Amino acid sequence: EAGVTQSPTHLIKTRGQQVTLRCSPISGHTSVYWYQQALGLGLQFLLWYDEGEERNRGNFPPRFSGRQFPNYSSELNVNALELEDSALYLCASSLGTTTSQSPLHFGNGTRLTVT
Amino acid sequence: QQQVKQSPQSLIVQKGGISIINCAYENTAFDYFPWYQQFPGKGPALLIAIRPDVSEKKEGRFTISFNKSAKQFSLHIMDSQPGDSATYFCAASMVGNGQGAQKLVFGQGTRLTINP
């Protein structure tokens, strides 16, 4: 079984630019989550998509957005990049919406560096 | 109130020793407490998880101890091995809350080093 795949693995952008990160969930998983892992801050919840709809979002500004496609893959878009957006962006997927029944499976992330 | 506080930030244990990582939470609505293990260059992977209806859960060398009244839970790694060297994250969520059931709140992580 293929795991959660993310692309690209690394990305360098300039402040003010826009970036799109991509995620393919495990086959059969309908829920996709995005987390930001900044140095020393643990994992911060960004967005949750299920069945193509945004179900919840974390405490991030509107320039962080995303979507989920009919095949359940997902994109995370970040506009007007700021230096503090430099982080590892992790995508996770799960089979259902109940954590204890279907734990999150994480990809290896996209390392974004904003200069 | 959504925070999960994790300690220590880093931990060095000798091979064969017991590694203990602690977490504390404020939100009494949390009802699911997983631990994730992350190796360099990899995403976090679920290690073990507990619900508040039990005080302890053991899987191999890994044990979660849960103290509901103190709002604390901890991970114990028995007979620690160099291969256990990784960053460990505790987390919490509200399974009963349909809107945020999967909104895991993570601790800040503990970098564990097992010396051979």
Side-chain angles (χ1 to χ4, degrees):
Chain A
E1 176 185 85
V4 176
T5 57
Q6 293 186 243
S7 63
T9 55
H10 294 83
L11 205 52
I12 300 175
K13 289 286 188 178
T14 303
R15 186 177 169 188
Q17 286 187 314
Q18 177 266 344
V19 68
T20 297
L21 312 181
R22 295 178 174 82
C23 172
S24 292
I26 291 173
S27 177
H29 286 191
T30 60
S31 283
V32 170
Y33 312 81
W34 288 94
Y35 280 82
Q36 181 194 67
Q37 185 175 19
L39 198 62
L41 293 179
L43 285 78
Q44 306 294 316
F45 171 75
L46 265 167
L47 290 160
W48 168 28
Y49 293 96
D50 181 63
E51 296 286 355
E53 294 190 15
E54 182 179 302
R55 300 294 186 181
N56 205 345
R57 68 177 290 131
N59 189 25
F60 281 83
R63 57 190 185 84
F64 286 84
S65 65
R67 55 179 173 168
Q68 186 178 34
F69 298 98
N71 67 353
Y72 303 114
S73 66
S74 176
E75 283 183 352
L76 174 68
N77 298 293
V78 188
N79 295 320
L81 284 166
E82 300 179 1
L83 297 178
E84 52 264 35
D85 296 334
S86 295
L88 180 68
Y89 289 84
L90 291 162
C91 173
S93 72
S94 73
L95 189 59
T97 57
T98 303
T99 313
S100 59
Q101 295 175 353
S102 177
L104 300 188
H105 296 263
F106 284 88
N108 291 331
T110 294
R111 172 72 63 187
L112 173 64
T113 302
V114 182
T115 61
Chain B
Q1 205 181 25
Q2 290 292 318
Q3 280 187 320
V4 176
K5 295 182 179 179
Q6 182 172 347
S7 63
Q9 281 189 309
S10 63
L11 181 63
I12 300 174
V13 175
Q14 291 299 118
K15 179 182 175 182
I18 303 173
S19 303
I20 301 174
I21 304 171
N22 301 298
C23 284
Y25 63 97
E26 290 294 325
N27 191 341
T28 56
F30 286 147
D31 56 3
Y32 175 69
F33 304 89
W35 284 88
Y36 280 80
Q37 179 188 56
Q38 185 178 29
F39 293 106
K42 301 292 186 181
L46 179 66
L47 191 61
I48 187 173
I50 197 168
R51 297 294 301 272
D53 51 345
V54 296
S55 60
E56 185 175 280
K57 183 174 182 180
K58 184 176 181 179
E59 289 185 2
R61 296 184 294 108
F62 300 91
T63 299
I64 300 179
S65 296
F66 185 79
N67 186 329
K68 189 174 181 179
S69 61
K71 293 185 284 186
Q72 295 175 347
F73 58 111
S74 60
L75 175 70
H76 291 64
I77 305 175
M78 312 300 287
D79 187 26
S80 299
Q81 299 296 312
D84 297 330
S85 296
T87 299
Y88 292 80
F89 293 94
C90 61
S93 72
M94 293 172 279
V95 173
N97 179 341
Q99 186 179 27
Q102 285 283 28
K103 184 182 172 182
L104 280 174
V105 178
F106 283 85
Q108 291 182 310
T110 296
R111 178 172 288 184
L112 174 65
T113 302
I114 308 299
N115 283 335

